[in-house]
Amino acid sequence: MRIAPSPTPDDSAATSPSDVDAELDAAADAEADAAADDGVVDHADSTAQPPAAPSDTGAFDRALVVVHGMGNAYRSQILLEWAEPLLSRMDWLARDRVIGAADRHGVAIHESDLSGDLPIITATVRSPGPRAQAAGAPAEDDDDVVQRIAIIEARWSESFVPMSRGQIFQWAVVFMWRMIRRVLGLFLGTMVLVPWYTLVRHWNKPPGAPRKLPKGVDLVIDTVRLAVCSIAFAVTWMFLVLLALVLTPILPLISPLLLIPWFKNVAQGFIDGIIESIGDVAAWKERPVRASAMRLVVRDALTRAKELVGDDGDVHLFAHSQGAAVATLALFEELRPSDYNVSRLTTVGAAVVLLGRDRWLGRPDEYKPVSDWLKRNAEADAHRGVKWANYWAIWDPFSAGPIADTATGRRERWRNAYFPGRSTAQGPEEHAVHNTSQPFLDHSVYFQNTIQVVEPTARHLLGPEFPPAPVAVAQVENLLSVIDKKSLGINMLAAVVIAAILPGLPGVYAAFATLASWVAGAIGFMIGVFPGGQDVAEAVPATIAAASFVTDPDGLNPWSWLIASGFTLAVLIWLNQRLSTVTRRSREWDRCPIEPRHWLVLSSIPRAAYVAGAVICAWFAIFAWSRPPLEWLVASAVILLIVAVFVFVEPLYAPVPVIVPARTDDDAANTLALAGIPAPMKLRDAVATDGFQKDLAARRRLLSPQGWRAEVWAGWFHDWPKSAEAPAPEAVATTD
């Protein structure tokens, strides 16, 4: 990090400031074009642009090495997957007017080599300096802080020879049962133990202690939640165990079956996809030589990163899924982190505990990553220890929770994520996050979790000098993000209920068949228009008749029902995703503040519509399919209404995970880490704090919405543009 412009030459840089200033005007336009082409818009004024940072030794303040997870990753895939959201968020943070940003601040991309031997992206981040941060208004150029950042990838997926299909599938039987046990343990905690612990804590809360709801209401909600979630877990347990029982005899036979021509033609593509996903996992566990080749890629990337930052810069290692197991073992067992200037390790969806280390025949398959981490930190000096943060989604089956050396320690740290208490288990800083609230999807979308994963990582890259968000503001954003993701999952479940029932209701399939007839007729019309085909009068009826399995109003059967349900589910999922994207973007990216209660009301409208649709479909199904007596019909309506109310309010009152501080064998460090984690607050308490109210008031004064969506929000909630404050003359002078 340096303050720009630097009054003296920077010995760690490849070029001197005077040389850079001479090149600045000629490079400005090219830098702006490169930034726009690479997905990050450079808003800075060209006359105040930072220099293009060369890819030479010591030219950067910080380097990030990203390591991909299991599967056949193509060149630059993991680099783009994480560099784009991280640079976008750093640009967003650096241009925050509340901390005194002006138009010259933000990200400028200098190099985006995505096809070289070692893909790399280099950028400069210019942010407000101490004077601007203190005043909350732009200062002169000499106050600016400039961070030079390089991002490189460690792609190990082509560094080894894959195992044969037969070897992989034989290994997969044992590994499958181990993974299912861990998945069921995670789901047991998330679906059963969290509701149970919540019920007990609410019931045992002493008289006079603050409550969100009366004790009786808490008891009803907690009991219903526990019952529903226990039933859901039982269904999930049966499905996964039955699936494993079916696959156990089948997996070893898949490779011989490929010798049959017709089976190979049908299943070859699907099986090759499975091999690409789990083949490298098998090689990691069963072939130590190939596992060493994977770790060598990480070492080479760290070597290059050390060259880029020189002796004074910092290297951050960021690893996902299997890449976390590869990177952790390489960093803490084979390398000395201080030799590579590694100051921070971030793991997301980490399969460290699931995969462990490579297994040599005749050796115990024992791996203690936390002990290795603590040992390396003890060997380093006070300024070269590695800070480790682990992010795991609550529905991610591969990470399956926190990292510790023992099962007891993992359970303790998992419980502390929901119910903070006395902790003795050692481990990294744990972040339980909400990605999509959908099992088997959470593992691959960490890079889309802006608030809980991307922003903390971006702030680490910006360095400790960058001003942190007020505690209350950060906690409000986290709580709203959790509510949003829980709503996304509830809407998905409601969409499944609607899609499964709706086509079978009287008259509904006839309407669907009519719509399908219109679509088929339009296709037939287009066929008849083109020369050489049938006449339109013949083509339209022929096309409708060819699709009679979905166009016949009286032709409802299991297959047509399945097709109609699939179409309905696709539409509902698409609509759910679009609505979620709009509400999430308005909160995370549009610089238009909104009070949480207003956002909660607006974001609850889609959830109410989906839940109401599911309840109405279920009630009409009971009425149409079973024709019960009136009293049973009324009773079913009351029960469905109670369930609907519970499902609707559940995202607002369910427990929200908190950060579990890192715990080592150093009591002083443990105390410091615990002090650095703010105490969790309820949403209404966080909103009422002076920190949140001052931040909201400052953003209203500086309101300058960008884009029609932000302008609409500003007009609704802040009477914009009438409420916009005229910029101060000195602020205008610094940005011209």
Side-chain angles (χ1 to χ4, degrees), residues 201 415-422 658-659 680:
R201 288 171 68 91
R415 182 167 180 171
N416 287 337
Y418 286 95
F419 308 100
R422 180 175 176 81
V658 299
I659 299 173

Side-chain angles (χ1 to χ4, degrees), residues 121-441:
I121 296 174
T122 64
T124 300
V125 186
R126 182 184 289 269
S127 59
R131 295 200 303 272
Q133 295 172 20
E140 299 296 332
D141 292 5
D142 61 356
D143 181 57
D144 288 350
V145 176
V146 175
Q147 297 278 358
R148 300 160 299 180
I149 296 174
I151 306 177
I152 61 178
E153 74 171 4
R155 187 172 67 97
W156 47 262
S157 65
E158 296 180 359
S159 62
F160 62 97
V161 177
M163 296 167 59
S164 68
R165 291 190 182 94
Q167 292 171 330
I168 291 174
F169 283 118
Q170 289 175 10
W171 164 86
V173 173
V174 177
F175 179 76
M176 175 186 64
W177 280 104
R178 181 183 179 187
M179 191 186 80
I180 286 179
R181 287 197 304 270
R182 284 179 49 78
V183 169
L184 290 176
L186 176 66
F187 287 2
L188 174 66
T190 303
M191 302 172 72
V192 179
L193 295 183
V194 169
W196 169 249
Y197 291 148
T198 303
L199 187 154
V200 172
R201 288 171 68 91
H202 284 167
W203 183 257
N204 293 332
K205 186 171 289 188
R211 289 178 173 273
K212 290 183 179 181
L213 297 171
K215 186 174 183 179
V217 177
D218 269 339
L219 178 62
V220 172
I221 292 178
D222 293 340
T223 303
V224 173
R225 180 192 294 121
L226 179 61
V228 172
C229 290
S230 297
I231 295 172
F233 173 74
V235 173
T236 303
W237 187 93
M238 292 181 61
F239 171 77
L240 291 177
V241 172
L242 289 175
L243 179 64
L245 290 173
V246 171
L247 291 178
T248 296
I250 292 178
L251 288 177
L253 299 176
I254 288 180
S255 185
L257 287 174
L258 288 176
L259 298 175
I260 304 174
W262 69 266
F263 182 81
K264 181 177 180 179
N265 294 334
V266 172
Q268 179 79 56
F270 176 73
I271 292 174
D272 286 346
I274 296 177
I275 294 297
E276 288 185 359
S277 298
I278 66 173
D280 47 5
V281 181
W284 168 259
K285 288 296 297 180
E286 299 296 317
R287 299 294 186 267
V289 174
R290 306 180 205 197
S292 178
M294 300 179 194
R295 297 193 295 272
L296 180 61
V297 174
V298 175
R299 188 193 70 182
D300 291 344
L302 289 176
T303 301
R304 177 55 177 156
K306 173 61 164 54
E307 294 174 354
L308 293 173
V309 301
D311 294 332
D312 299 325
D314 289 328
V315 173
H316 292 187
L317 184 58
F318 187 100
H320 173 245
S321 187
Q322 181 184 344
V326 176
T328 304
L329 184 59
L331 185 65
F332 296 135
E333 284 207 2
E334 297 181 340
L335 307 175
R336 291 172 56 91
S338 57
D339 292 343
Y340 299 86
N341 286 22
V342 178
S343 60
R344 179 172 291 276
L345 170 65
T346 302
T347 51
V348 294
V352 172
V353 177
L354 175 64
L355 299 184
R357 62 174 308 126
D358 49 348
R359 185 173 65 89
W360 289 86
L361 295 178
R363 290 189 188 180
D365 187 14
E366 184 179 9
Y367 180 44
K368 295 184 177 181
V370 175
S371 297
D372 291 342
W373 168 54
L374 298 180
K375 179 181 178 182
R376 288 304 187 194
N377 279 357
E379 296 172 351
D381 58 48
H383 302 289
R384 284 300 183 187
V386 178
K387 296 180 179 179
W388 186 359
N390 181 49
Y391 295 82
W392 51 276
I394 65 167
W395 294 107
D396 184 347
F398 298 102
S399 65
I403 295 175
D405 286 343
T406 65
T408 302
R410 292 192 294 272
R411 286 194 297 269
E412 179 184 297
R413 294 182 68 78
W414 170 85
R415 182 167 180 171
N416 287 337
Y418 286 95
F419 308 100
R422 180 175 176 81
S423 175
T424 59
Q426 296 174 343
E429 184 177 280
E430 299 287 355
H431 296 251
V433 301
H434 287 70
N435 287 342
T436 63
S437 293
Q438 300 169 41
F440 306 107
L441 293 180

